[in-house]
Short mmCIF file of all heavy atoms in Angstrom, two decimals:
data_model
loop_
_atom_site.label_atom_id
_atom_site.label_comp_id
_atom_site.label_asym_id
_atom_site.label_seq_id
_atom_site.Cartn_x
_atom_site.Cartn_y
_atom_site.Cartn_z
N MET A 1 -3.34 5.56 -4.05
CA MET A 1 -4.21 4.77 -3.32
C MET A 1 -4.74 3.64 -4.26
O MET A 1 -4.87 3.83 -5.48
CB MET A 1 -5.50 5.57 -3.10
CG MET A 1 -5.61 6.24 -1.83
SD MET A 1 -5.57 6.42 -0.33
CE MET A 1 -5.12 8.11 -0.33
N THR A 2 -4.93 2.55 -3.70
CA THR A 2 -5.40 1.38 -4.43
C THR A 2 -6.80 1.17 -4.11
O THR A 2 -7.24 1.17 -2.91
CB THR A 2 -4.64 0.13 -4.04
OG1 THR A 2 -3.22 0.32 -4.37
CG2 THR A 2 -5.03 -1.11 -4.71
N TYR A 3 -7.64 1.02 -5.15
CA TYR A 3 -9.13 0.80 -4.99
C TYR A 3 -9.29 -0.64 -5.35
O TYR A 3 -8.81 -1.07 -6.48
CB TYR A 3 -9.91 1.72 -5.79
CG TYR A 3 -9.90 3.11 -5.26
CD1 TYR A 3 -8.93 4.00 -5.70
CD2 TYR A 3 -10.88 3.55 -4.31
CE1 TYR A 3 -8.91 5.26 -5.12
CE2 TYR A 3 -10.81 4.84 -3.78
CZ TYR A 3 -9.81 5.72 -4.24
OH TYR A 3 -9.86 6.98 -3.64
N VAL A 4 -10.16 -1.39 -4.58
CA VAL A 4 -10.33 -2.82 -4.81
C VAL A 4 -11.86 -3.09 -4.59
O VAL A 4 -12.55 -2.23 -4.20
CB VAL A 4 -9.54 -3.63 -3.85
CG1 VAL A 4 -8.00 -3.44 -4.07
CG2 VAL A 4 -9.84 -3.37 -2.37
N SER A 5 -12.24 -4.39 -4.85
CA SER A 5 -13.55 -4.78 -4.60
C SER A 5 -13.84 -4.82 -3.15
O SER A 5 -12.92 -4.80 -2.24
CB SER A 5 -13.83 -6.15 -5.16
OG SER A 5 -13.08 -7.13 -4.43
N LEU A 6 -15.08 -4.83 -2.73
CA LEU A 6 -15.48 -4.86 -1.36
C LEU A 6 -14.96 -6.12 -0.58
O LEU A 6 -14.36 -6.01 0.47
CB LEU A 6 -17.01 -4.82 -1.19
CG LEU A 6 -17.53 -4.72 0.23
CD1 LEU A 6 -16.84 -3.63 1.06
CD2 LEU A 6 -19.01 -4.65 0.29
N ALA A 7 -14.92 -7.25 -1.28
CA ALA A 7 -14.41 -8.45 -0.71
C ALA A 7 -12.89 -8.33 -0.50
O ALA A 7 -12.41 -8.70 0.57
CB ALA A 7 -14.67 -9.69 -1.58
N ALA A 8 -12.17 -7.72 -1.39
CA ALA A 8 -10.68 -7.53 -1.22
C ALA A 8 -10.47 -6.52 -0.07
O ALA A 8 -9.55 -6.68 0.62
CB ALA A 8 -10.09 -7.09 -2.51
N ALA A 9 -11.34 -5.51 0.01
CA ALA A 9 -11.16 -4.51 1.10
C ALA A 9 -11.39 -5.18 2.44
O ALA A 9 -10.70 -4.95 3.42
CB ALA A 9 -12.24 -3.40 0.85
N ARG A 10 -12.42 -6.03 2.55
CA ARG A 10 -12.64 -6.77 3.84
C ARG A 10 -11.44 -7.77 4.17
O ARG A 10 -11.07 -7.88 5.30
CB ARG A 10 -13.92 -7.55 3.73
CG ARG A 10 -15.08 -6.62 3.76
CD ARG A 10 -16.37 -7.40 3.77
NE ARG A 10 -17.56 -6.47 3.96
CZ ARG A 10 -18.78 -6.74 3.55
NH1 ARG A 10 -19.14 -7.91 2.97
NH2 ARG A 10 -19.76 -5.91 3.80
N ALA A 11 -10.88 -8.35 3.12
CA ALA A 11 -9.73 -9.23 3.32
C ALA A 11 -8.52 -8.41 3.81
O ALA A 11 -7.77 -8.88 4.67
CB ALA A 11 -9.30 -9.94 2.03
N ALA A 12 -8.43 -7.25 3.32
CA ALA A 12 -7.26 -6.33 3.75
C ALA A 12 -7.43 -6.02 5.16
O ALA A 12 -6.43 -6.00 5.97
CB ALA A 12 -7.18 -5.10 2.95
N ALA A 13 -8.70 -5.75 5.60
CA ALA A 13 -9.00 -5.35 7.06
C ALA A 13 -8.73 -6.59 7.91
O ALA A 13 -8.02 -6.45 9.00
CB ALA A 13 -10.41 -4.97 7.16
N ALA A 14 -8.97 -7.82 7.46
CA ALA A 14 -8.77 -9.01 8.22
C ALA A 14 -7.19 -9.33 8.36
O ALA A 14 -6.78 -9.63 9.47
CB ALA A 14 -9.42 -10.23 7.56
N ARG A 15 -6.45 -8.99 7.28
CA ARG A 15 -5.06 -9.10 7.43
C ARG A 15 -4.45 -8.12 8.41
O ARG A 15 -3.49 -8.40 9.13
CB ARG A 15 -4.32 -8.93 6.02
CG ARG A 15 -4.53 -10.11 5.10
CD ARG A 15 -3.64 -10.00 3.85
NE ARG A 15 -3.82 -8.83 3.09
CZ ARG A 15 -4.75 -8.63 2.18
NH1 ARG A 15 -5.62 -9.64 1.83
NH2 ARG A 15 -4.85 -7.43 1.56
N PHE A 16 -4.91 -6.93 8.36
CA PHE A 16 -4.53 -5.86 9.31
C PHE A 16 -4.86 -6.38 10.77
O PHE A 16 -3.91 -6.25 11.69
CB PHE A 16 -5.15 -4.51 9.03
CG PHE A 16 -4.62 -3.41 9.77
CD1 PHE A 16 -3.50 -2.67 9.36
CD2 PHE A 16 -5.17 -2.93 10.99
CE1 PHE A 16 -2.98 -1.61 10.00
CE2 PHE A 16 -4.65 -1.88 11.69
CZ PHE A 16 -3.56 -1.19 11.18
N ASP A 17 -5.98 -6.87 11.01
CA ASP A 17 -6.34 -7.41 12.32
C ASP A 17 -5.38 -8.51 12.70
O ASP A 17 -4.90 -8.62 13.95
CB ASP A 17 -7.74 -7.99 12.33
CG ASP A 17 -8.82 -6.95 12.64
OD1 ASP A 17 -8.48 -5.83 13.18
OD2 ASP A 17 -9.98 -7.25 12.42
N ALA A 18 -5.05 -9.50 11.84
CA ALA A 18 -4.19 -10.53 12.09
C ALA A 18 -2.77 -10.05 12.47
O ALA A 18 -2.13 -10.56 13.39
CB ALA A 18 -4.16 -11.51 10.97
N GLU A 19 -2.33 -9.04 11.74
CA GLU A 19 -0.93 -8.57 12.02
C GLU A 19 -0.90 -7.69 13.33
O GLU A 19 0.05 -7.77 14.04
CB GLU A 19 -0.47 -7.68 10.83
CG GLU A 19 0.94 -7.28 10.87
CD GLU A 19 1.46 -6.68 9.65
OE1 GLU A 19 0.90 -6.83 8.59
OE2 GLU A 19 2.42 -5.96 9.68
N TYR A 20 -1.90 -6.89 13.57
CA TYR A 20 -1.83 -5.91 14.65
C TYR A 20 -2.74 -6.32 15.86
O TYR A 20 -2.71 -5.60 16.93
CB TYR A 20 -2.06 -4.51 14.19
CG TYR A 20 -1.04 -3.98 13.25
CD1 TYR A 20 -1.35 -4.03 11.89
CD2 TYR A 20 0.13 -3.59 13.67
CE1 TYR A 20 -0.37 -3.55 11.01
CE2 TYR A 20 1.09 -3.09 12.77
CZ TYR A 20 0.82 -3.08 11.49
OH TYR A 20 1.83 -2.71 10.59
N GLY A 21 -3.44 -7.32 15.72
CA GLY A 21 -4.15 -7.89 16.89
C GLY A 21 -5.40 -7.23 17.28
O GLY A 21 -6.01 -7.59 18.34
N GLY A 22 -5.99 -6.46 16.49
CA GLY A 22 -7.31 -5.73 16.84
C GLY A 22 -7.13 -4.87 17.97
O GLY A 22 -5.96 -4.58 18.49
N GLY A 23 -8.10 -4.11 18.35
CA GLY A 23 -8.00 -3.20 19.47
C GLY A 23 -8.52 -1.87 19.29
O GLY A 23 -9.70 -1.65 18.98
N THR A 24 -7.77 -0.84 19.36
CA THR A 24 -8.13 0.50 19.37
C THR A 24 -8.19 1.21 18.03
O THR A 24 -7.82 2.32 17.93
CB THR A 24 -7.25 1.31 20.34
OG1 THR A 24 -5.84 1.34 19.79
CG2 THR A 24 -7.17 0.74 21.72
N TYR A 25 -8.72 0.60 17.14
CA TYR A 25 -8.85 1.17 15.76
C TYR A 25 -10.19 0.65 15.12
O TYR A 25 -10.66 -0.36 15.53
CB TYR A 25 -7.62 0.98 14.83
CG TYR A 25 -7.27 -0.47 14.65
CD1 TYR A 25 -7.95 -1.26 13.76
CD2 TYR A 25 -6.29 -1.12 15.44
CE1 TYR A 25 -7.66 -2.62 13.59
CE2 TYR A 25 -5.98 -2.44 15.26
CZ TYR A 25 -6.60 -3.15 14.40
OH TYR A 25 -6.29 -4.50 14.21
N CYS A 26 -10.65 1.38 14.12
CA CYS A 26 -11.74 1.00 13.37
C CYS A 26 -11.48 1.19 11.89
O CYS A 26 -10.61 1.92 11.52
CB CYS A 26 -12.97 1.66 13.77
SG CYS A 26 -13.04 3.53 13.44
N TYR A 27 -12.33 0.52 11.12
CA TYR A 27 -12.27 0.68 9.69
C TYR A 27 -13.35 1.51 9.11
O TYR A 27 -14.42 1.51 9.59
CB TYR A 27 -12.35 -0.72 8.98
CG TYR A 27 -11.25 -1.66 9.50
CD1 TYR A 27 -11.49 -2.73 10.24
CD2 TYR A 27 -9.90 -1.47 9.05
CE1 TYR A 27 -10.55 -3.58 10.71
CE2 TYR A 27 -8.87 -2.30 9.57
CZ TYR A 27 -9.27 -3.40 10.31
OH TYR A 27 -8.32 -4.17 10.77
N ARG A 28 -13.01 2.20 8.00
CA ARG A 28 -14.06 2.87 7.19
C ARG A 28 -13.76 2.46 5.76
O ARG A 28 -12.66 2.58 5.23
CB ARG A 28 -13.90 4.36 7.25
CG ARG A 28 -14.23 4.97 8.67
CD ARG A 28 -14.29 6.45 8.71
NE ARG A 28 -14.57 6.89 10.10
CZ ARG A 28 -14.20 8.05 10.52
NH1 ARG A 28 -13.81 8.93 9.64
NH2 ARG A 28 -14.41 8.34 11.77
N PHE A 29 -14.78 1.84 5.18
CA PHE A 29 -14.66 1.37 3.75
C PHE A 29 -15.23 2.57 2.94
O PHE A 29 -16.39 2.91 2.88
CB PHE A 29 -15.47 0.14 3.58
CG PHE A 29 -15.00 -1.09 4.34
CD1 PHE A 29 -15.40 -1.27 5.64
CD2 PHE A 29 -14.10 -1.84 3.72
CE1 PHE A 29 -14.82 -2.44 6.27
CE2 PHE A 29 -13.51 -2.92 4.41
CZ PHE A 29 -14.02 -3.20 5.66
N GLU A 30 -14.27 3.16 2.23
CA GLU A 30 -14.63 4.35 1.42
C GLU A 30 -14.67 3.85 -0.02
O GLU A 30 -13.84 3.19 -0.46
CB GLU A 30 -13.55 5.48 1.61
CG GLU A 30 -13.40 5.92 3.07
CD GLU A 30 -12.18 6.76 3.29
OE1 GLU A 30 -11.28 6.98 2.45
OE2 GLU A 30 -12.08 7.28 4.48
N SER A 31 -15.68 4.45 -0.75
CA SER A 31 -15.78 4.01 -2.11
C SER A 31 -15.94 5.13 -3.08
O SER A 31 -16.32 6.29 -2.70
CB SER A 31 -17.08 3.09 -2.27
OG SER A 31 -18.25 3.84 -2.07
N ASN A 32 -15.63 4.87 -4.30
CA ASN A 32 -15.98 5.70 -5.44
C ASN A 32 -16.13 4.88 -6.66
O ASN A 32 -16.26 3.60 -6.53
CB ASN A 32 -14.87 6.82 -5.61
CG ASN A 32 -13.50 6.22 -5.99
OD1 ASN A 32 -13.44 5.11 -6.52
ND2 ASN A 32 -12.48 6.99 -5.80
N ALA A 33 -16.16 5.49 -7.83
CA ALA A 33 -16.42 4.65 -9.02
C ALA A 33 -15.33 3.64 -9.33
O ALA A 33 -15.69 2.64 -10.02
CB ALA A 33 -16.54 5.61 -10.28
N ARG A 34 -14.22 3.80 -8.81
CA ARG A 34 -13.12 2.85 -8.97
C ARG A 34 -13.14 1.56 -8.08
O ARG A 34 -12.46 0.63 -8.32
CB ARG A 34 -11.78 3.50 -8.91
CG ARG A 34 -11.49 4.53 -10.07
CD ARG A 34 -10.12 5.16 -9.94
NE ARG A 34 -10.16 6.04 -8.82
CZ ARG A 34 -9.13 6.62 -8.39
NH1 ARG A 34 -7.93 6.45 -9.02
NH2 ARG A 34 -9.17 7.43 -7.33
N GLY A 35 -13.84 1.72 -6.94
CA GLY A 35 -13.95 0.67 -5.98
C GLY A 35 -13.76 1.10 -4.61
O GLY A 35 -14.27 2.26 -4.33
N TYR A 36 -13.31 0.24 -3.69
CA TYR A 36 -13.23 0.57 -2.29
C TYR A 36 -11.77 0.73 -1.83
O TYR A 36 -10.86 0.13 -2.42
CB TYR A 36 -13.91 -0.61 -1.58
CG TYR A 36 -15.26 -0.68 -1.70
CD1 TYR A 36 -15.89 -1.40 -2.70
CD2 TYR A 36 -16.19 -0.04 -0.72
CE1 TYR A 36 -17.35 -1.47 -2.85
CE2 TYR A 36 -17.54 -0.12 -0.86
CZ TYR A 36 -18.04 -0.84 -1.89
OH TYR A 36 -19.46 -0.92 -2.12
N GLN A 37 -11.59 1.53 -0.78
CA GLN A 37 -10.27 1.58 -0.13
C GLN A 37 -10.63 1.41 1.37
O GLN A 37 -11.78 1.74 1.79
CB GLN A 37 -9.52 2.81 -0.42
CG GLN A 37 -10.17 4.07 0.05
CD GLN A 37 -9.39 5.24 -0.33
OE1 GLN A 37 -8.42 5.26 -1.04
NE2 GLN A 37 -9.83 6.48 0.04
N VAL A 38 -9.74 1.00 2.13
CA VAL A 38 -9.99 0.71 3.61
C VAL A 38 -9.08 1.75 4.41
O VAL A 38 -7.87 1.74 4.32
CB VAL A 38 -9.62 -0.66 4.06
CG1 VAL A 38 -9.89 -0.87 5.50
CG2 VAL A 38 -10.34 -1.72 3.20
N ALA A 39 -9.76 2.65 5.13
CA ALA A 39 -9.04 3.62 5.96
C ALA A 39 -9.15 3.08 7.40
O ALA A 39 -10.17 2.58 7.79
CB ALA A 39 -9.70 4.93 5.91
N VAL A 40 -8.05 3.12 8.07
CA VAL A 40 -8.01 2.71 9.52
C VAL A 40 -7.89 3.99 10.33
O VAL A 40 -6.95 4.72 10.23
CB VAL A 40 -6.66 1.78 9.73
CG1 VAL A 40 -6.70 1.30 11.17
CG2 VAL A 40 -6.75 0.67 8.75
N TYR A 41 -8.81 4.07 11.29
CA TYR A 41 -8.85 5.21 12.22
C TYR A 41 -8.67 4.81 13.61
O TYR A 41 -9.08 3.68 14.08
CB TYR A 41 -10.25 5.90 12.08
CG TYR A 41 -10.35 6.69 10.84
CD1 TYR A 41 -10.83 6.17 9.65
CD2 TYR A 41 -10.13 8.11 10.87
CE1 TYR A 41 -10.93 6.86 8.57
CE2 TYR A 41 -10.26 8.89 9.74
CZ TYR A 41 -10.67 8.16 8.57
OH TYR A 41 -10.76 9.06 7.37
N SER A 42 -8.12 5.64 14.45
CA SER A 42 -7.98 5.47 15.96
C SER A 42 -9.33 5.62 16.51
O SER A 42 -10.03 6.64 16.28
CB SER A 42 -6.91 6.36 16.39
OG SER A 42 -7.05 6.41 17.90
N LEU A 43 -9.68 4.70 17.41
CA LEU A 43 -10.96 4.86 18.13
C LEU A 43 -10.81 5.99 19.20
O LEU A 43 -11.91 6.55 19.58
CB LEU A 43 -11.27 3.54 18.89
CG LEU A 43 -11.84 2.41 18.01
CD1 LEU A 43 -12.07 1.15 18.72
CD2 LEU A 43 -13.14 2.87 17.30
N ARG A 44 -9.67 6.17 19.75
CA ARG A 44 -9.53 7.20 20.77
C ARG A 44 -9.54 8.58 20.26
O ARG A 44 -10.07 9.38 20.87
CB ARG A 44 -8.15 6.88 21.57
CG ARG A 44 -8.16 5.65 22.27
CD ARG A 44 -6.90 5.41 23.08
NE ARG A 44 -6.87 4.09 23.70
CZ ARG A 44 -5.86 3.42 23.88
NH1 ARG A 44 -4.64 3.83 23.57
NH2 ARG A 44 -5.94 2.23 24.56
N SER A 45 -8.90 8.82 19.12
CA SER A 45 -8.76 10.16 18.68
C SER A 45 -9.47 10.48 17.38
O SER A 45 -9.39 11.61 16.86
CB SER A 45 -7.24 10.63 18.58
OG SER A 45 -6.64 9.69 17.65
N ASN A 46 -9.90 9.39 16.72
CA ASN A 46 -10.61 9.55 15.40
C ASN A 46 -9.68 10.10 14.42
O ASN A 46 -10.15 10.78 13.46
CB ASN A 46 -11.86 10.30 15.53
CG ASN A 46 -12.84 10.04 14.33
OD1 ASN A 46 -12.86 8.86 13.84
ND2 ASN A 46 -13.55 10.99 13.92
N VAL A 47 -8.45 9.76 14.48
CA VAL A 47 -7.45 10.24 13.50
C VAL A 47 -7.10 9.13 12.48
O VAL A 47 -7.02 7.93 12.91
CB VAL A 47 -6.11 10.65 14.26
CG1 VAL A 47 -4.98 10.88 13.31
CG2 VAL A 47 -6.39 11.85 15.15
N LEU A 48 -6.94 9.43 11.26
CA LEU A 48 -6.57 8.43 10.27
C LEU A 48 -5.17 7.97 10.57
O LEU A 48 -4.30 8.72 10.65
CB LEU A 48 -6.59 9.17 8.88
CG LEU A 48 -6.15 8.37 7.70
CD1 LEU A 48 -7.07 7.10 7.57
CD2 LEU A 48 -6.06 9.10 6.46
N LEU A 49 -5.07 6.64 10.65
CA LEU A 49 -3.72 6.00 10.90
C LEU A 49 -3.11 5.57 9.62
O LEU A 49 -1.90 5.79 9.36
CB LEU A 49 -3.88 4.77 11.80
CG LEU A 49 -4.55 5.04 13.19
CD1 LEU A 49 -4.75 3.80 13.90
CD2 LEU A 49 -3.68 6.01 13.96
N THR A 50 -3.81 4.88 8.73
CA THR A 50 -3.24 4.43 7.53
C THR A 50 -4.39 3.91 6.57
O THR A 50 -5.53 3.81 6.98
CB THR A 50 -2.25 3.29 7.71
OG1 THR A 50 -1.55 2.91 6.59
CG2 THR A 50 -2.98 2.04 8.30
N TYR A 51 -3.94 3.63 5.39
CA TYR A 51 -4.90 2.90 4.46
C TYR A 51 -4.33 1.50 4.23
O TYR A 51 -3.14 1.31 4.19
CB TYR A 51 -4.93 3.58 3.11
CG TYR A 51 -5.74 4.87 3.11
CD1 TYR A 51 -5.08 6.08 3.24
CD2 TYR A 51 -7.07 4.87 2.94
CE1 TYR A 51 -5.86 7.26 3.27
CE2 TYR A 51 -7.78 5.97 2.97
CZ TYR A 51 -7.22 7.27 3.16
OH TYR A 51 -7.95 8.38 3.10
N VAL A 52 -5.23 0.48 4.13
CA VAL A 52 -4.72 -0.86 3.92
C VAL A 52 -5.44 -1.38 2.68
O VAL A 52 -6.41 -0.84 2.27
CB VAL A 52 -4.98 -1.79 5.08
CG1 VAL A 52 -4.20 -1.34 6.23
CG2 VAL A 52 -6.48 -1.89 5.54
#
């Protein structure tokens, strides 16, 4: 997993939106001492889809 700054995590979420068009998923910005990672979850089933 890659941990990045919050600004980079938000940029990754924006790129995911641009590529997949938004819709039936949501983001969770997870953090620890190394930084942030962006988890993408399905809104319908609350299942983890991927990390970006």
